[in-house]
Amino acid sequence: MKLLNTIKILSSSLIVSLCCLTASCNFLEIVPVEQADLDDATQDFNSTLGFLHSCYAGIQSPVAFENTEASADEYAIPLEYSLQGYNSLKVAHNLFTGNNNDGGKWSNYYRYIGQIHLFLQELKKAPVSDLMKEEWEAEAYFLMAYYHFEILRCYGPCPISDRLLPQTASENEYPGRMHYDYVTDWIVRLLDEKVLAGDKLRNIRSNTEVGRATRPIALALKAKVLLYAASPLWNGKFPYPEWKNVKLGKTMETPGYGTALVSTTYDREKWVRAEKAAQEALDAALDAGHYLFGTKAGDESLQEQNKLPMPYIPNIKGTDAEIKAFQNKVLTLRYMMTAKGSEGNMELLWELHKTTNFVFGSIPNNMMKLNNGSEYGGWSSTSPYLYAVEHFYTDKGTLPKIAASKNEYPAESKWLDPAGVTGRSELFNICVGREPRFYAWLGFHQGDYSSRLADGQPVQIDTRDPDRQGYNPAKYNRNHLVTGFAIQKFLDPNTQLNTSGGGGIPNPAYPLIRMADLYLMLAECQANLSSDGKSDAYATDALKNLNAVHQRAGLKAITKEDLTDLPLMEWIKNERYVEFYGEGQRYFDVRRWVEGGKYLAAGKREGLRAEEKGLEYDEFRQRIKVNQPYDWNNRQYILPIYYVDVNSNPQLVQAPGYSN
């Protein structure tokens, strides 16, 4: 869909999604019916509310192995999936160009911006109170800010759609890209003036309204917008500093910036603004009752209510009380990623309820035998790289490499050796002595997967056996664990499939913004404002906010002495990698830190020798480069715009490094 058409007045041919909110469903899960007559859209309270709900429908799940976010250094996807045209593989292989449709990001977000403009236009005549109109207007402007930010962080400097264009508008009236900082300031001003001013939004939502904008969500979005603007990519280190807003000899200017589209010099004040916004967002979230899940009494009630068995932890040591506390932490962290806000999960500020293939697709093959003799299993479509396996912390709260250098963990050369676990002779050293998040969210050879998935029992996965979860293309076609490891982060630990084939795999509430992000955004801002990263007040505050997340995971605090092992920012970066593993944040983090070549270039991604059938154990446990054409080019810091949009808009220039 052309941008030009998406920002015009939407005619009756556009789907205006209308729905009524009921206590029995979440509005983000509803697929409303079409309404051809726009007058019906605001004829009463329910239809107007349904029109507002339709403006939320453009929000996309960041947790999807098909999308661009899955191209980072978190997990491998079978190369055979490239036949499906997945953008995750195209981006990872540096094959994504302006000739590729972007999976609906650019056109999708501008379409919904147009729908928001239409909603704001029609809201004026809706038969609802002025107070309600003010709240709904604030929600609409919040979504307008959100969609613009999603475009901005995916595509860089972008057009601002601040009004509806008439159907008769000429091509010369279509907007072009604006300087990144100008768009940032416009989004922040929109949030300040139209969303946050006057306290129009509620601080918390009822269980039937979970997913709708609140004041803490709006403040968190503002903080994230400013964090990205302060990050190196947009704060002096964009790899194409001479990129100009010039097309076919015609110049397009941004007020105050001329034809420039990116900043070429560092500005510390950007971090000052971002730090202030992050602190305001965190304070507002805490005041509204949000907190880090697992830090208050009662957060263990979910597993207690479901009477879940304690998870298996290989070679765990300690007193009975210490072992039980560790196991409880593992279960609590599993629930943190699957429990909804309506179930008391106050970790979540903003959650998305949409059906995706991610959970079922992540489950390994052949998890159980059904009564009819057939096998039941998932697609084995997400498989953590060894980088992921090795960058979760040890149970002492440091990286395995650092611990090994101090003789506190097996030497790196022995990580893939057998650990001597009774009854599981092939379980690796690297899978022993790890932190709770490792056992909560990953799956590994001869480890237990979930709690009662297979007819009430956990599954001891075997990623070497071709008749179980190992490589067997004749049996499982394209579906296999590329690296020999698995993900279970978003699988409800209470999920149980029975031998008759019943049970089903529930979808979790995918996090759009959660409390850990607020703490780590604030820590990052403070670390960047610190004079030396160690001794001043900013460094002290950064450590405090970093440790809020680190210690929630059941680990000891990171101290100033630990900064001799890793600089403060590297601790923060690794904490973000672990804490938000698989949540779609890593894609953007690597880019805004200008570290694409460091992590995403050819030869960087490794796994076990898991894509061969029937290997002996010593052959299987070899570290190898994943056999895919991974590549990195600096043009990949932002996505290209579909060539149809570029060619049809005289003001719109393509991203640098891409041709039309």
Side-chain angles (χ1 to χ4, degrees):
M1 180 187 298
K2 297 180 181 180
L3 165 63
L4 320 180
N5 292 329
T6 62
I7 59 180
K8 287 184 176 182
I9 291 179
L10 309 180
S11 66
S12 59
S13 62
L14 174 67
I15 297 176
V16 179
S17 305
L18 301 175
C19 64
C20 297
L21 182 65
T22 67
S24 62
C25 62
N26 185 295
F27 77 95
L28 287 176
E29 295 176 303
I30 296 173
V31 180
V33 298
E34 295 184 17
Q35 292 288 331
D37 190 348
L38 189 57
D39 290 336
D40 293 340
T42 55
Q43 66 178 341
D44 55 29
F45 179 95
N46 284 335
S47 60
T48 308
L49 180 58
F51 195 173
L52 172 62
H53 290 169
S54 75
C55 296
Y56 282 86
I59 299 171
Q60 298 185 5
S61 174
V63 183
F65 55 79
E66 306 96 327
N67 295 344
T68 54
E69 288 89 337
S71 65
D73 59 340
E74 296 175 292
Y75 53 85
I77 302 162
L79 182 59
E80 291 85 349
Y81 280 34
S82 62
L83 297 176
Q84 304 296 116
Y86 286 169
N87 284 332
S88 51
L89 289 171
K90 290 179 183 176
V91 173
H93 301 158
N94 189 22
L95 297 176
F96 194 90
T97 71
N99 291 322
N100 298 116
N101 188 299
D102 63 0
K105 289 184 183 293
W106 177 272
S107 58
N108 174 75
Y109 294 140
Y110 276 116
R111 173 195 184 276
Y112 279 93
I113 289 170
Q115 187 152 331
I116 291 164
H117 281 302
L118 189 59
F119 170 78
L120 290 168
Q121 171 185 285
E122 297 300 307
L123 178 62
K124 298 173 183 176
K125 60 186 180 184
V128 298
S129 69
D130 289 342
L131 189 63
M132 188 61 67
K133 284 182 181 179
E134 286 184 355
E135 180 182 0
W136 291 355
E137 179 185 71
E139 282 188 72
Y141 279 118
F142 163 79
L143 289 170
M144 187 181 296
Y146 170 75
Y147 289 134
H148 273 93
F149 173 61
E150 286 297 307
I151 296 166
L152 184 66
R153 70 173 181 164
C154 287
Y155 301 92
C158 65
I160 292 174
S161 177
D162 58 357
R163 62 191 177 96
L164 281 169
L165 291 177
Q167 292 281 10
T168 56
S170 67
E171 287 186 347
N172 290 328
E173 294 180 71
Y174 301 145
R177 293 185 190 263
M178 308 292 271
H179 191 282
Y180 190 97
D181 292 345
Y182 186 90
V183 180
T184 293
D185 289 342
W186 180 84
I187 294 172
V188 170
R189 188 167 59 251
L190 183 67
L191 289 168
D192 283 341
E193 297 176 0
K194 296 292 189 178
V195 181
L196 296 168
D199 294 327
K200 299 170 187 175
L201 289 179
R202 305 174 195 183
N203 286 324
I204 200 77
R205 291 284 180 180
S206 68
N207 287 347
T208 60
E209 297 177 323
V210 167
R212 286 176 61 184
T214 63
R215 182 175 179 81
I217 294 173
L219 286 167
L221 175 61
K222 176 182 172 181
K224 192 174 282 284
V225 171
L226 290 170
L227 174 81
Y228 274 62
S231 297
L233 184 64
W234 306 114
N235 199 2
K237 291 190 176 180
F238 189 73
Y240 300 90
E242 299 306 316
W243 185 29
K244 300 293 182 182
N245 209 1
V246 179
K247 183 176 182 180
L248 300 177
K250 180 181 178 181
T251 62
M252 286 69 68
E253 297 192 356
T254 303
Y257 295 92
T259 60
L261 289 171
V262 299
S263 297
T264 58
T265 57
Y266 173 76
D267 183 359
R268 184 177 187 273
E269 186 62 26
K270 290 182 177 181
W271 286 113
V272 174
R273 291 180 71 194
E275 194 268 346
K276 180 182 177 182
Q279 187 67 67
E280 290 176 350
L282 178 57
D283 290 344
L286 291 169
D287 288 344
H290 293 282
Y291 63 92
L292 291 168
F293 189 82
T295 60
K296 287 191 176 182
D299 287 344
E300 297 176 355
S301 62
L302 288 173
Q303 59 256 39
E304 291 170 354
Q305 290 171 9
N306 290 311
K307 296 182 174 58
L308 282 178
M310 289 294 102
Y312 169 74
I313 312 296
N315 282 3
I316 188 170
K317 296 179 176 62
T319 65
D320 289 346
E322 289 170 339
I323 291 173
K324 183 177 180 182
F326 191 100
Q327 293 171 315
N328 268 326
K329 179 62 72 173
V330 170
L331 285 178
T332 299
L333 289 166
R334 287 180 181 173
Y335 271 111
M336 182 191 78
M337 295 311 309
T338 58
K340 300 175 174 61
S342 59
E343 297 171 315
N345 187 356
M346 297 303 289
E347 169 83 14
L348 300 173
L349 271 74
W350 196 16
E351 60 191 271
L352 182 65
H353 296 251
K354 279 191 174 180
T355 300
T356 75
N357 291 325
F358 190 88
V359 180
F360 184 80
S362 295
I363 295 174
N365 287 309
N366 191 9
M367 304 303 289
M368 59 184 294
K369 294 285 187 182
L370 302 182
N371 291 334
N372 61 10
S374 63
E375 298 174 355
Y376 185 95
W379 299 340
S380 299
S381 57
T382 61
S383 189
Y385 297 111
L386 278 173
Y387 182 88
V389 173
E390 295 165 358
H391 280 75
F392 280 72
Y393 299 103
T394 68
D395 55 9
K396 300 298 189 294
T398 191
L399 289 172
K401 190 170 186 176
I402 294 173
S405 70
K406 299 178 180 181
N407 296 318
E408 297 170 354
Y409 200 73
E412 189 171 355
S413 61
K414 298 185 180 300
W415 286 354
L416 297 178
D417 288 356
V421 179
T422 302
R424 308 192 188 209
S425 60
E426 296 185 1
L427 198 149
F428 308 123
N429 277 324
I430 194 62
C431 300
V432 173
R434 305 304 299 277
E435 63 158 307
R437 288 176 294 193
F438 181 89
Y439 299 112
W441 300 339
L442 300 188
F444 49 89
H445 182 59
Q446 291 198 339
D448 279 5
Y449 193 89
S450 194
S451 296
R452 50 170 58 139
L453 182 61
D455 202 26
Q457 298 296 320
V459 177
Q460 185 185 138
I461 62 176
D462 189 331
T463 56
R464 187 169 72 85
D465 187 343
D467 288 320
R468 296 188 66 189
Q469 291 81 44
Y471 183 74
N472 192 340
K475 188 174 185 179
Y476 301 125
N477 194 5
R478 64 182 186 181
N479 301 331
H480 60 275
L481 294 169
V482 173
T483 70
F485 294 89
I487 296 176
Q488 57 177 319
K489 185 171 186 179
F490 300 97
L491 176 64
D492 187 330
N494 195 47
T495 301
Q496 180 172 337
L497 304 169
N498 57 53
T499 53
S500 64
I505 307 294
N507 270 281
Y510 292 114
L512 296 173
I513 300 175
R514 59 186 180 92
M515 285 298 290
D517 202 7
L518 300 190
Y519 281 101
L520 293 181
M521 284 197 295
L522 183 54
E524 183 175 344
C525 293
Q526 292 162 339
N528 278 280
L529 289 170
S530 172
S531 60
D532 63 0
K534 292 183 179 180
S535 60
D536 62 15
Y538 277 123
T540 299
D541 288 342
L543 270 177
K544 179 188 71 174
N545 289 304
L546 167 61
N547 278 323
V549 179
H550 194 71
Q551 290 182 275
R552 185 269 296 277
L555 303 172
K556 69 176 182 64
I558 300 166
T559 66
K560 290 183 179 179
E561 288 70 30
D562 293 318
L563 301 184
T564 60
D565 294 326
L566 280 178
L568 178 56
M569 262 307 299
E570 293 306 310
W571 279 106
I572 292 170
K573 288 178 179 179
N574 198 76
E575 194 71 34
R576 287 190 65 86
Y577 182 90
V578 173
E579 180 68 22
F580 304 124
Y581 181 81
E583 294 182 37
Q585 298 227 36
R586 178 67 172 177
Y587 172 91
F588 296 105
D589 282 349
V590 167
R591 284 163 170 77
R592 66 185 180 87
W593 293 328
V594 197
E595 294 183 329
K598 180 179 179 180
Y599 295 108
L600 306 178
K604 298 289 186 180
R605 310 186 208 206
E606 298 177 319
L608 302 178
R609 193 177 166 186
E611 291 188 290
E612 296 180 57
K613 182 180 177 181
L615 295 179
E616 296 298 325
Y617 177 65
D618 286 342
E619 297 172 314
F620 169 72
R621 64 186 181 90
Q622 293 178 15
R623 174 192 296 268
I624 64 168
K625 307 295 182 184
V626 174
N627 187 24
Q628 292 194 28
Y630 297 120
D631 191 23
W632 174 262
N633 184 292
N634 282 344
R635 69 179 187 174
Q636 292 172 274
Y637 279 112
I638 57 176
L639 291 173
I641 301 171
Y642 189 40
Y643 79 96
V644 172
D645 289 323
V646 175
N647 292 340
S648 57
N649 184 343
Q651 280 67 247
L652 193 59
V653 296
Q654 183 58 282
Y658 298 96
S659 63
N660 292 342

